[in-house]
């Protein structure tokens, strides 16, 4: 029995919705919410949502690159659209916060620019690392596409890139590190999911599907891999199996309300990610929500408010960003990617 790879494209938005929720739950650990040890260990794996995002992004970008090469404007137009989709929401949502941070903390102009432009992630691991990673990735993709097209044994190329990134990912990483190399490595260990998504799209484009038996195989590899290398190096295997399972699940519940809810969440996934950061930063300035405050014992109220304000404002910001993109730039930069976009 084969898994229809077209289902990844068909249920892409819903899968993104699940991934966004996984990341929000994982951030409760970052916010130091006091939970039972077993719950914390489970929620940590919510950052698998990042790898699922990268997989479906790789899947979509394979098609969008093919479309770009066949249309006027080519890669320049493609790159502009991609950057608009992440930079407009970033500036609208977090831009005002960095100005606030600059004033309140009396930061230097140089420090403000580093934080605003996300260069601070590469030097100090400060800011929205996923957006900071996507920008250079978008610039690299056109070159990757040309290499991919020119190579005959494409699976060998993809396997080589996966192994290379896993090996580089073995480098130890400290979350408070100021090392540019370590922050680059932090991102490289997550990129195998992108290459896998790209290759799965290639197989689908050639009408080649994969067996559903690959699901337990990749789950087994992921579990065994935890014993030998850093767990993040193996997240690509879990991303494959989880994406396939989710696609099958949404096929079963496509007419149910829950599926429509995940679709809505998926359409606002970028804004949800950014507003989560925004209120993690902003509410940390409220004295009554500090870790030591009696009213905020366990950080439950703090992160609960982060979620409430973040979710509500994400819908508002989505409409605002969509309007800015449409009226100023001429695109719809906040909409989820389509198969040929």
């Amino acid at each position: 029995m084969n898994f229809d790879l077209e289902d990844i494209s068909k249920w892409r938005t819903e899968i993104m919705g699940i991934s966004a929720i996984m990341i929000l739950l994982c951030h409760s650990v970052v916010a130091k919410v006091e939970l039972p040890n077993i719950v914390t260990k489970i929620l940590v794996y919510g950052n698998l949502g990042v790898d699922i995002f990268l997989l479906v992004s790789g899947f979509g970008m394979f098609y969008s690159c093919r479309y770009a090469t066949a249309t006027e404007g080519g890669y320049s137009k493609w790159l502009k659209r991609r950057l608009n989709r992440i930079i407009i929401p970033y500036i609208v949502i977090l831009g005002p916060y960095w100005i606030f941070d600059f004033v309140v903390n009396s930061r230097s102009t140089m420090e403000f620019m580093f934080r605003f432009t996300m260069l601070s992630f590469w030097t100090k691991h400060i800011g929205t690392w996923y957006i900071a990673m996507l920008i250079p990735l978008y610039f690299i993709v056109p070159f990757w596409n040309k290499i991919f097209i020119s190579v005959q044994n494409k699976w060998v190329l993809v396997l080589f890139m996966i192994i290379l990134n896993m090996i580089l990912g073995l480098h130890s990483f400290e979350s408070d590190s100021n090392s540019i190399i370590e922050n680059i490595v932090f991102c490289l260990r997550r990129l195998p999911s992108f290459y896998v998504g790209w290759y799965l799209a290639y197989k689908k484009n050639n009408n080649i599907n994969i067996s559903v038996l690959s699901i337990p195989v990749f789950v087994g590899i992921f579990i065994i891999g935890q014993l030998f290398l850093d767990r993040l190096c193996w997240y690509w295997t879990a991303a494959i199996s989880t994406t396939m399972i989710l696609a099958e699940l949404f096929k079963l519940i496509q007419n149910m309300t829950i599926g429509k809810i995940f679709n809505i969440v998926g359409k606002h996934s970028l804004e949800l990610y950014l507003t989560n950061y925004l209120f993690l930063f902003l509410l940390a300035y409220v004295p009554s929500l500090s870790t030591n405050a009696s009213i905020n014992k366990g950080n439950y109220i703090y992160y609960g408010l982060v979620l409430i304000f973040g979710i509500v404002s994400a819908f508002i910001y989505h409409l605002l960003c969509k309007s800015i993109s449409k009226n100023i730039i001429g695109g719809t930069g906040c909409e989820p990617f389509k198969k040929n976009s």
Side-chain angles (χ1 to χ4, degrees):
M1 181 178 179
N2 288 333
F3 170 78
D4 187 356
L5 291 171
E6 177 65 26
D7 288 339
I8 295 178
S9 179
K10 184 176 182 180
W11 304 108
R12 174 193 181 94
T13 306
E14 288 79 1
I15 293 171
M16 290 169 63
I18 286 282
S19 300
I21 293 173
M22 291 172 65
I23 293 170
L24 295 186
L25 292 174
C26 178
H27 282 183
S28 67
V29 179
V30 178
K32 298 181 180 179
V33 176
E34 293 182 9
L35 297 166
N37 189 47
I38 183 64
V39 176
T40 299
K41 288 183 177 180
I42 292 174
L43 291 182
V44 165
Y45 282 92
N47 63 7
L48 172 62
V50 171
D51 301 86
I52 296 174
F53 264 118
L54 284 170
L55 189 148
V56 297
S57 293
F59 196 97
M61 274 192 261
F62 170 84
Y63 284 103
S64 64
C65 278
R66 291 180 68 250
Y67 180 77
T69 57
T71 56
E72 184 178 354
Y75 285 128
S76 296
K77 185 177 180 180
W78 178 89
L79 184 59
K80 179 181 177 181
R81 292 182 65 193
R82 288 280 163 174
L83 292 176
N84 286 343
R85 284 170 167 171
I86 59 174
I87 291 178
I88 291 176
Y90 174 80
I91 292 176
V92 170
I93 297 173
L94 282 178
Y97 169 75
W98 291 125
I99 295 174
F100 167 81
D101 175 73
F102 168 68
V103 174
V104 172
N105 295 299
S106 301
R107 301 193 189 280
S108 68
T109 303
M110 181 65 72
E111 180 66 17
F112 163 73
M113 291 305 299
F114 261 65
R115 291 175 181 242
F116 183 80
T117 60
M118 291 175 280
L119 289 174
S120 58
F121 163 71
W122 301 105
T123 58
K124 298 181 179 180
H125 202 76
I126 296 174
T128 52
W129 76 267
Y130 184 71
I131 306 299
M133 177 188 68
L134 284 181
I135 293 175
L137 178 62
Y138 287 167
F139 278 97
I140 293 171
V141 163
F143 299 100
W144 159 254
N145 185 44
K146 291 180 180 180
I147 294 172
F148 186 84
I149 292 173
S150 65
V151 173
Q152 183 174 1
N153 294 318
K154 303 185 189 305
W155 70 270
V156 175
L157 173 64
V158 171
L159 182 61
F160 170 77
M161 294 302 297
I162 290 174
I163 294 175
L164 176 63
N165 281 266
M166 288 179 68
I167 292 174
L168 292 174
L170 293 178
H171 181 74
S172 62
F173 173 78
E174 300 295 336
S175 60
D176 60 349
S177 172
N178 293 333
S179 168
I180 295 177
I181 297 298
E182 289 195 343
N183 288 312
I184 292 175
V185 168
F186 177 84
C187 294
L188 288 178
R189 65 176 62 173
R190 312 303 287 271
L191 288 183
S193 295
F194 171 81
Y195 297 120
V196 167
W198 187 283
Y199 185 66
L200 291 178
Y202 163 75
K203 289 178 69 68
K204 177 55 188 174
N205 191 59
N206 287 275
N207 297 313
I208 304 173
N209 289 310
I210 59 177
S211 172
V212 294
L213 294 178
S214 61
I215 295 178
V217 171
F218 283 116
V219 170
I221 293 174
F222 175 71
I223 294 174
I224 296 173
Q226 309 298 291
L227 304 174
F228 300 101
L229 297 176
D230 183 284
R231 61 185 176 83
L232 292 177
C233 293
W234 296 99
Y235 265 32
W236 63 275
T237 58
I240 298 174
S241 51
T242 304
T243 299
M244 292 171 65
I245 292 171
L246 288 175
E248 289 297 317
L249 175 62
F250 285 120
K251 184 188 296 185
L252 294 174
I253 65 172
Q254 57 183 297
N255 296 320
M256 297 174 62
T257 302
I258 186 68
K260 296 177 181 178
I261 292 175
F262 285 124
N263 180 276
I264 294 173
V265 174
K267 289 179 179 179
H268 298 79
S269 55
L270 176 58
E271 290 82 7
L272 284 167
Y273 171 76
L274 291 171
T275 55
N276 188 254
Y277 267 99
L278 172 64
F279 288 103
L280 276 172
F281 293 154
L282 271 181
L283 295 182
Y285 285 91
V286 180
S288 59
L289 295 179
S290 67
T291 306
N292 297 324
S294 59
I295 192 176
N296 187 44
K297 186 177 181 180
N299 267 2
Y300 303 121
I301 294 180
Y302 166 63
Y303 197 64
L305 290 175
V306 168
L307 289 177
I308 293 172
F309 290 142
I311 292 171
V312 173
S313 63
F315 287 84
I316 299 173
Y317 278 122
H318 179 83
L319 294 175
L320 178 59
C321 293
K322 188 175 180 180
S323 176
I324 292 174
S325 179
K326 182 177 181 179
N327 295 309
I328 297 181
I329 300 179
T332 52
C334 295
E335 295 181 354
F337 303 149
K338 297 178 182 178
K339 184 175 178 179
N340 63 347
S341 66

